[in-house]
Amino acid sequence: MRISQLAETTGVPVATIKYYLREGLVPEGERTNATQARYGEEHVQRLRLIRALLTAGGLSIAAARDVLRHLEAPHDSVGEVLSVAQASVTPAAPEGIDLSRARAVVDGLGWQIDPDAVDALASLEAAIDGLEAAGFELPEGALDGYAEAMATVAQAEIDGIPADSVEAAVHYVVLGTVLVEPLLLALRRLAQQDASWRRFGG
Amino acid sequence: MRISQLAETTGVPVATIKYYLREGLVPEGERTNATQARYGEEHVQRLRLIRALLTAGGLSIAAARDVLRHLEAPHDSVGEVLSVAQASVTPAAPEGIDLSRARAVVDGLGWQIDPDAVDALASLEAAIDGLEAAGFELPEGALDGYAEAMATVAQAEIDGIPADSVEAAVHYVVLGTVLVEPLLLALRRLAQQDASWRRFGG
């Protein structure tokens, strides 16, 4: 199909598609002459994926490109997929950040984490900083409660990684990491409404 | 203290403080003459809170102003605090959005939600859309698992609402809603590393 049909099929304007092509998010079509190219089903799929990463996933263009690169790169084992996926969607740790509180939390929980994955640790440190800076004290035991809930979630997610195909595993982990976040946060808010209703009434 | 000392104490540049003053995020100081004002401990606290909301909470200036307004407004009951807090930190539902899938999920879970709180429902709908648009199918039972984990989290959070003071309740709910999100997401990633390590090895 031509670029105009690709735009019509996906609902992504031609100008936006051209922008994604320039940014390397979408592979070039098959040239039919000097000014035209032909696009196929893989372009439709790719555009849908990009829209999902940018809107539902809330990623920047640069982060989306990183994710797509990781989806395409060859990977050796299912086990390494997770750290690669996390690296592509976790903001880089600021230089020289003190991670001692985040490390203390993780050690206290007895979690075995990737020693090279300081970015996720930095996200935890930043979250703890944010609570403290705002003068918000978590109630006694709340942090352990959050950790336990997330451990249950993570265990199910890791158990769900397709182990028969590295490619399927990459797809599952990269997209699951990004796209499940808004799902979890939306469910939390709705669950709060339910719990509030049961405690305080309608 | 003068604005320069306020900047030094909080690490927020003078120009930024002036911007927050203009935007109504920080209350005016006590005028000492035509060009100077005096600031106190409440300004220090307020600036720390704003920084936390903008950085750790990831809020826009407009959303932060909404949150601060809700923190200051009088509230009648602890029970109404949650919906007010959620309204201030949840993006408004797009006009005419079809919420049928989100409603089906909530009904399936048997959750009793605030009938006016369509914004949280719209966030769930958007998250489901995002997964579908990316061609990501949640494994069988995964959605129920996420919902169950978030119900546990929410139950503990609602149980933790200070019931003796509406003001304390507002503070707890508004900040807890925003600032705990990055904490949960960071913990999920670290918990995934731990689960991955136990399944696949280091």
Side-chain angles (χ1 to χ4, degrees):
Chain A
M1 70 187 89
R2 290 161 64 165
I3 197 167
S4 55
Q5 290 168 285
L6 181 61
E8 203 172 304
T9 306
T10 58
V12 180
V14 168
T16 307
I17 296 175
K18 287 186 173 169
Y19 173 63
Y20 294 159
L21 284 163
R22 281 198 305 278
E23 291 289 322
L25 294 174
V26 174
E28 297 288 337
E30 188 195 336
R31 286 255 153 245
T32 49
N33 63 44
T35 59
Q36 292 196 330
R38 190 182 294 139
Y39 299 91
E41 184 54 30
E42 77 273 22
H43 294 92
V44 174
Q45 297 298 335
R46 172 56 66 97
L47 280 172
R48 292 208 168 119
L49 177 54
I50 292 168
R51 299 305 292 174
L53 292 174
L54 298 181
T55 59
L59 295 190
S60 65
I61 292 279
R65 185 168 37 214
D66 253 17
V67 166
L68 293 169
R69 195 175 293 146
H70 287 305
L71 284 176
E72 282 163 357
H75 296 283
D76 288 339
S77 73
V78 171
E80 74 157 345
V81 164
L82 185 80
S83 50
V84 172
Q86 286 200 347
S88 73
V89 294
T90 308
E95 286 277 328
I97 185 176
D98 175 6
L99 297 171
S100 51
R101 283 187 303 180
R103 279 194 207 283
V105 168
V106 168
D107 288 347
L109 293 165
W111 287 356
Q112 183 74 40
I113 61 165
D114 183 346
D116 298 328
V118 288
D119 295 343
L121 218 46
S123 300
L124 177 58
E125 188 79 29
I128 297 170
D129 277 351
L131 289 165
E132 194 175 83
F136 185 86
E137 267 189 57
L138 288 176
E140 179 83 22
L143 186 62
D144 286 340
Y146 289 133
E148 202 176 308
M150 287 303 106
T152 307
V153 160
Q155 183 67 54
E157 289 174 321
I158 299 299
D159 286 347
I161 294 182
D164 49 341
S165 147
V166 175
E167 196 183 30
V170 175
H171 201 259
Y172 171 87
V173 171
V174 173
L175 294 184
T177 301
V178 179
L179 296 176
V180 168
E181 292 191 347
L183 181 71
L184 278 172
L185 299 182
L187 286 170
R188 171 175 174 237
R189 294 202 181 170
L190 292 163
Q192 286 175 336
Q193 291 183 14
D194 177 58
S196 175
W197 186 87
R198 280 185 284 107
R199 177 162 169 204
F200 300 110
Chain B
M1 70 189 89
R2 289 161 63 166
I3 197 166
S4 56
Q5 292 167 283
L6 181 61
E8 205 172 303
T9 307
T10 59
V12 181
V14 169
T16 307
I17 297 176
K18 287 186 174 170
Y19 172 63
Y20 294 160
L21 284 163
R22 280 199 305 279
E23 291 288 322
L25 294 175
V26 175
E28 297 290 335
E30 187 195 336
R31 284 258 151 242
T32 50
N33 64 43
T35 60
Q36 291 197 332
R38 190 181 294 138
Y39 299 90
E41 183 56 30
E42 78 272 23
H43 294 93
V44 174
Q45 297 300 335
R46 172 56 67 96
L47 281 172
R48 292 207 168 119
L49 177 53
I50 292 167
R51 298 305 291 173
L53 291 173
L54 297 181
T55 58
L59 294 190
S60 65
I61 292 278
R65 185 167 39 213
D66 253 17
V67 167
L68 295 168
R69 196 175 292 149
H70 287 306
L71 282 177
E72 284 163 354
H75 295 284
D76 289 336
S77 74
V78 172
E80 73 157 344
V81 163
L82 184 81
S83 51
V84 173
Q86 286 200 348
S88 73
V89 295
T90 309
E95 286 277 328
I97 185 177
D98 176 5
L99 297 171
S100 50
R101 283 187 302 179
R103 277 194 209 283
V105 169
V106 168
D107 289 345
L109 293 165
W111 287 355
Q112 183 75 37
I113 61 165
D114 183 346
D116 298 328
V118 289
D119 295 344
L121 218 45
S123 300
L124 177 58
E125 188 78 30
I128 296 170
D129 278 351
L131 289 164
E132 193 176 86
F136 185 85
E137 267 188 57
L138 289 175
E140 180 82 24
L143 186 62
D144 287 339
Y146 289 133
E148 203 177 307
M150 287 304 103
T152 308
V153 160
Q155 184 66 55
E157 290 174 320
I158 298 299
D159 287 346
I161 293 182
D164 50 340
S165 148
V166 175
E167 197 183 30
V170 174
H171 201 258
Y172 170 88
V173 171
V174 172
L175 294 184
T177 301
V178 179
L179 296 175
V180 167
E181 292 191 347
L183 181 72
L184 278 171
L185 299 183
L187 286 171
R188 172 176 173 235
R189 294 202 182 170
L190 292 163
Q192 285 175 337
Q193 290 182 15
D194 177 59
S196 176
W197 185 87
R198 280 185 284 104
R199 177 162 170 202
F200 300 111

